Amino acid sequence: MGAGHSHALFVHRDSPVHALAPEVKIAASVLFTVAVVATPREALWAFGGYLVVIVAVAFTARIGLGWLALRSLIELPFILFAFALPFLGHGERVHWLGLSLSVDGLYGAWNIVAKGTLGVLSSLLLAGTTTPRDLLLGLDRLRCPTMITQIATFMLRYLDVLAAEGRRMRIAQRSRGYDPRFLWQIKGFASGIGALFLRAFERGERVYLAMVSRGYEGRIPMALAGTGATARQWAAAAPVPVVAGAIATVALLG
């Protein structure tokens, strides 16, 4: 849980969004996503409103739109799948440039692209303004199930350690003239994965027993967790879910 375990998505900025308590940003992001998902796919204007909210938050957080666009490419496989729906859908069809497209498929593709993109952008803003350590603290303050926060805490803390262990094992293999790259050499690769798993399991057990012996009870100590969000911080983040909720309500009733 050390502060040094940052990740590539976090953007160091001095902004009002970065200064908010993590549980506030998590709650706002989840409620925003719920509003987006609840919006009927036919309400095209509503998704434009959500995009304006995303841009406003990004501007306040001093995160560039290019940074968001580049990292949102992670959803590209889903977008490619969505492009196939107009051709595979049934029901009423329209013709465009000699192509026969399903109306329901077009709406389905739009639904996936619009809601998926907005969800990815919302998640990127959360990750870009909150360190992994603070995300775990926020989940703990929101009373996320202890088992989930424990698993995430250990994964965050020791992911780099396991990656370094795997690199050392790889170097040891290659220094001995064994460099499995082909399908018929998969036995050596599987053996390495198995050895890494055993080392990780044994290391995790030793670390957990050491933590228990020092008073660990399954939750982040209050001395590290801090005092939590203030009423002003909750009020500062409220416009995002409130505006998103208003847009979704009008779209549902319209």
Side-chain angles (χ1 to χ4, degrees):
M1 292 276 299
H5 292 268
S6 184
H7 61 71
L9 292 179
F10 180 70
V11 181
H12 294 271
R13 294 286 188 274
D14 183 16
S15 76
V17 180
H18 285 74
L20 290 174
E23 63 269 27
V24 173
K25 290 181 278 189
I26 293 172
S29 180
V30 170
L31 292 175
F32 174 85
T33 303
V34 169
V36 171
V37 172
T39 303
R41 62 186 185 180
E42 295 80 8
L44 305 184
W45 63 269
F47 298 100
Y50 295 135
L51 185 60
V52 171
V53 174
I54 289 288
V55 172
V57 174
F59 178 80
T60 305
R62 301 175 185 174
I63 292 180
L65 298 182
W67 184 91
L68 287 174
L70 181 62
R71 283 154 181 80
S72 65
L73 294 178
I74 190 175
E75 66 165 342
L76 190 58
F78 300 97
I79 293 179
L80 294 177
F81 168 76
F83 282 147
L85 293 181
F87 301 96
L88 301 177
H90 302 285
E92 181 184 355
R93 306 189 75 84
V94 296
H95 296 276
W96 180 74
L97 295 180
L99 300 174
S100 178
L101 305 175
S102 166
V103 174
D104 189 62
L106 287 171
Y107 274 122
W110 162 253
N111 194 51
I112 292 175
V113 173
K115 294 183 179 180
T117 300
L118 290 169
V120 168
L121 293 176
S122 175
S123 300
L124 286 173
L125 283 176
L126 177 62
T129 58
T130 316
T131 63
R133 174 184 179 277
D134 287 340
L135 282 174
L136 293 176
L137 286 176
L139 290 173
D140 192 70
R141 291 172 183 170
L142 292 172
R143 291 295 182 260
C144 182
T146 305
M147 185 61 65
I148 294 179
T149 56
Q150 283 191 66
I151 293 173
T153 299
F154 280 102
M155 181 187 72
L156 172 64
R157 181 63 182 85
Y158 290 100
L159 194 59
D160 292 338
V161 175
L162 292 178
E165 186 76 19
R167 284 193 296 269
R168 287 194 295 269
M169 292 174 61
R170 176 70 171 164
I171 293 172
Q173 280 186 330
R174 297 182 66 179
S175 67
R176 290 164 174 81
Y178 189 70
D179 188 15
R181 294 185 178 184
F182 303 101
L183 184 61
W184 58 84
Q185 296 176 309
I186 195 170
K187 181 180 179 180
F189 177 78
S191 299
I193 295 297
L196 181 61
F197 171 78
L198 291 176
R199 292 187 184 186
F201 183 82
E202 293 172 353
R203 185 192 296 267
E205 187 175 22
R206 290 196 302 270
V207 170
Y208 179 74
L209 291 176
M211 293 173 65
V212 170
S213 68
R214 289 164 174 79
Y216 180 69
E217 297 178 350
R219 301 201 73 90
I220 299 174
M222 293 306 297
L224 297 177
T227 58
T230 63
R232 175 176 290 185
Q233 289 181 322
W234 284 107
V240 172
V242 168
V243 171
I247 293 174
T249 301
V250 173
L252 287 169
L253 297 178

